[in-house]
């Protein structure tokens, strides 16, 4: 009955979705049930069988990487390129629209995207300029406030201060921040979405044109859309559009960034006659992994409820390792990775997942020592590195003189004798005359400043003008190369001592290569330099450039959404770390953490390791933690415990039991009656606390922090410690 190979390898429910008639449709299904696959096949089906032009489709994915992969799959299903298909993230698509319609959107043609660091810098400067107390007004909180309003589609004039002076001030900050951005032609991430929404809302003819063009709207990971994204989709869909959205309420993990899982319920109200397809067969994971995920998520109360099953075999048990500290944990992971790699498996098929970015450092160190290549996905981001941002700031200023955030970044970098007082004079001129720093610099230099300061400023202004002239007409990578040299950045970092300076220079050189390899979208009507700068700003929100080497993948659980790996490690599974401390006492927060855990578990296809540590040093602080409650939610029969090489029992806690963790069996150290955190007395050293244990039996050693003499390592059998 197949009319096209597009329907091969799809089950009944998947086919129903892929071939559905042109009416609103929502696919709600659990992890690994083929939602992304259905979306991809739907696009191929529409083009190949329904004869829809690729230009008539708009597809939204969660990351740029996912967009590139999806385009590749569609092309291989269709055996042809689909250049004119609009596929990207909400931010990427909004940006494209704003570039095309900058005039209608009220933006200068060469507007610049700023990332969240730039945004924070503007806010800090604002607080300082207004001479507010920075203890009372925390820049990050104001940033959060502004972005949260934008995510809800609200401008300062829409906001009511509720007679609350605090809120009144926040609104005032928002207002002034926006004025700075508008003056400089700066667009932050939240603004991209809000502007794109206003663009259509306020230009009905333009909207109608896009509504005619994009009849089919396809959205992946729909559960994580925020209000402004959903409003944008609804505008575009109008009465005639055909939304085809796929998502999983159990994988909604971005509430803290404004995502609203409620849109899943709202969808059926907003699009009357919409049908819903459920997919229940999981194709990704073994039955053991799936059962574990189902059991964990069953503890959440607010769910649509789904029943996922698999035809796959039971597979291996989930292995839980209790490490005694974060280094032991890393060693364990590296040992398993090494075996995996030695057995001839691809390293890229293994992923190490963690809750918070800071956890990667210890893992990275261990990987470096073991000489196992790895890649931090979404971690140390190329375009966010200091020297790269410096170079980009020069390029931005060349393209756009009124960009204050770039101006401030490089006016005195490399140092050229422009001091705080000169800067202050420029800032106050800019404030008083509502103009950019660039203009202020010109005015201040000729009127107000001393000879030396004035000539330093003039030299800087001339440098930028000269670079603009010298680079015009050059190829993009030649422009970049010229700027990193002529700006003095290369010389500046050459003077920085040691490896660090070298790395920075290498990175700058890498920027030239990035520019050489950069291919602007032919559909975009902007200069290659502007296209490259926008790309850099958008890309900075995501991963590093793809390394060609076969690497182990390191990433947070958040960035793992949508991906799958044969071998997965979930590290740092401790209460306080995961679930995160700030969510533990808040039922909604805890449920979101549990969904994140569900996302983590369901990334694994064949083998899943879960690790936790008795003691962990993170952010320079030591903590002793219980194994994560999520571990105890996995049915015991699915789990195999791996005993640490050294047994350590933990301080007796009044909290609930830690399930199958070291609970039952008695460890050698525990046999000797020693616990981490236990107070002891030594004849010679006095009172102390046990920090660590290692070795076994007669070789068992303890590390004790004594109040008077500091840390000592003692052989337990001879130490004669009195337990207190
Ligand atoms: P997530 O919720 O994690 O985003 P998903 O629902 O989007 O998952 P996919 O990534 O589309 O799921 O599919 C999971 C895996 O199952 C993929 O490897 C996919 O190729 C495979 N798969 C999906 N459907 C089928 C099928 N009918 N036959 C064989 N393999 C399938
Ligand atoms: Mg998916």
């Amino acid at each position: 009955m197949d009319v096209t190979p597009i329907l091969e390898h799809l089950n009944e429910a998947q086919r129903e979705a892929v071939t559905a008639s042109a009416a609103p449709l929502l696919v709600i299904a659990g992890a690994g049930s083929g939602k992304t696959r259905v979306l991809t096949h739907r696009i191929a089906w529409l083009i190949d069988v329904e004869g829809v032009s690729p230009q008539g489709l708009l597809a939204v994915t969660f990351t740029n990487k996912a967009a590139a992969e999806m385009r590749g799959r569609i092309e291989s299903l269709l055996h042809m390129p689909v250049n004119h298909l609009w596929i990207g993230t909400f931010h990427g698509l909004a940006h494209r629209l704003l570039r095309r319609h900058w005039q209608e959107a009220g933006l200068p043609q060469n507007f610049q995207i700023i990332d969240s660091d730039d945004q924070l810098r503007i806010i800090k400067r604002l607080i300082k300029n207004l001479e507010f107390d920075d203890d009372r007004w925390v820049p990050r909180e104001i940033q959060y406030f502004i972005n949260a309003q934008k995510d809800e589609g609200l401008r300062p004039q829409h906001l009511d201060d509720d007679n609350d002076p605090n809120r009144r001030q926040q609104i005032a900050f928002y207002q002034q921040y926006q004025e700075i951005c508008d003056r400089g032609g700066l667009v932050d991430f939240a603004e991209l979405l809000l502007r794109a929404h206003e663009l259509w809302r306020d230009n009905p003819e333009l909207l109608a044109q896009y509504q005619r063009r994009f009849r089919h709207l396809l959205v992946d990971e729909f559960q994580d859309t925020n209000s402004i994204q959903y409003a944008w989709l609804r505008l575009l869909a109008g009465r005639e559009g055909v939304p085809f959205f796929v998502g999983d309420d159990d994988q909604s993990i971005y509430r803290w960034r404004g995502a609203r899982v409620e849109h899943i319920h709202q969808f059926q109200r907003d699009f009357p006659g919409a049908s819903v397809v459920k997919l229940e067969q999981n194709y990704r994971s073994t039955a053991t992994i799936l059962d574990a995920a189902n059991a964990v998520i069953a503890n959440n109360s607010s769910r649509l409820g789904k029943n996922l099953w698999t035809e796959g075999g039971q597979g291996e048990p989930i292995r839980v390792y209790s490490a005694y500290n974060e280094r032991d944990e890393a060693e364990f992971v590296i040992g398993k990775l090494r075996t995996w790699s030695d057995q001839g498996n691809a390293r890229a098929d293994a992923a190490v997942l963690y809750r918070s970015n800071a956890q990667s450092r210890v893992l990275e160190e261990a990987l470096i020592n073991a000489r196992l290549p790895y890649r931090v996905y979404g971690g140390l981001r190329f375009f966010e590195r200091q020297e790269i941002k410096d170079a980009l700031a020069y390029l931005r200023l060349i393209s756009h003189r009124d960009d204050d955030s770039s101006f401030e970044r490089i006016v005195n970098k490399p140092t050229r004798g422009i001091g705080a007082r000169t800067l202050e004079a420029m800032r106050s001129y800019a404030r008083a005359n509502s103009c950019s720093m660039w203009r202020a610099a010109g005015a201040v230099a000729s009127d107000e400043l001393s000879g030396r300061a004035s000539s330093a400023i003039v030299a800087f202004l001339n440098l930028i003008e000269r670079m603009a002239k010298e680079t015009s007409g050059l190829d993009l990578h030649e422009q970049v190369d010229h700027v990193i040299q002529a700006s003095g950045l290369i010389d500046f970092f050459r003077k920085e001592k040691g490896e660090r300076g070298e790395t920075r220079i290498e990175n700058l050189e890498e920027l030239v290569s990035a520019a050489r390899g950069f291919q602007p979208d032919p559909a975009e009507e902007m200069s290659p330099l502007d296209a490259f700068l926008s790309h850099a700003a958008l890309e900075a929100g995501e991963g590093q450039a793809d390394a060609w080497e076969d690497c182990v993948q390191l990433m947070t659980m958040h960035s793992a959404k949508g991906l799958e790996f044969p071998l997965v490690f979930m590290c740092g599974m401790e209460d306080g770390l995961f679930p995160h401390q700030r969510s533990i006492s808040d039922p909604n927060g805890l449920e979101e953490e549990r969904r994140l855990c569900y996302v983590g578990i369901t990334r694994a296809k064949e083998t899943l390791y879960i690790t936790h540590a008795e003691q962990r040093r993170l952010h320079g602080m030591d903590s002793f933690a219980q194994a994560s409650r999520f571990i105890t939610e996995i049915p015991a029969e699915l789990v195999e415990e791996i005993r640490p090489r050294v047994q350590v029992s933990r301080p007796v806690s009044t909290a609930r039991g830690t399930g199958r963790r070291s609970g039952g069996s008695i460890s050698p150290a525990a046999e000797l009656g020693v616990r981490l955190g236990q107070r002891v007395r030594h004849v010679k050293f006095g009172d102390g606390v046990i920090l660590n244990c290692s070795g076994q039996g007669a070789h068992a050693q303890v590390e004790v922090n004594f109040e008077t003499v500091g840390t000592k390592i003692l052989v337990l059998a001879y130490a004669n410690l009195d337990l207190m």
Side-chain angles (χ1 to χ4, degrees), residues 35-37 220-221 284 562 603:
K35 294 181 298 296
T36 302
R37 187 183 177 102
D220 199 2
E221 308 276 4
R284 179 179 293 150
R603 298 311 96 198

Side-chain angles (χ1 to χ4, degrees), residues 243-284:
F244 185 100
F245 297 170
V246 311
D248 177 4
D249 57 311
D250 288 334
Q251 294 187 71
S252 158
I253 54 175
Y254 282 98
R255 189 168 192 92
W256 53 283
R257 263 208 228 154
R260 295 283 171 267
V261 66
E262 296 84 342
H263 293 148
I264 289 183
H265 307 277
Q266 219 169 307
F267 181 84
Q268 292 178 72
R269 260 176 279 138
D270 292 338
F271 298 97
S275 41
V276 175
V277 172
K278 291 196 169 189
L279 309 174
E280 305 201 309
Q281 182 170 1
N282 171 294
Y283 288 91
R284 179 179 293 150

Side-chain angles (χ1 to χ4, degrees), residues 46-47 52-58 84-86 210-218:
L46 288 172
I47 295 172
V52 177
S53 153
Q55 292 187 47
L57 302 169
L58 181 91
H84 297 294
L85 173 64
W86 277 38
Y210 277 98
Q211 285 174 332
R212 278 193 300 276
R213 173 173 173 178
F214 293 126
R215 234 186 116 223
H216 292 274
L217 320 179
L218 302 104

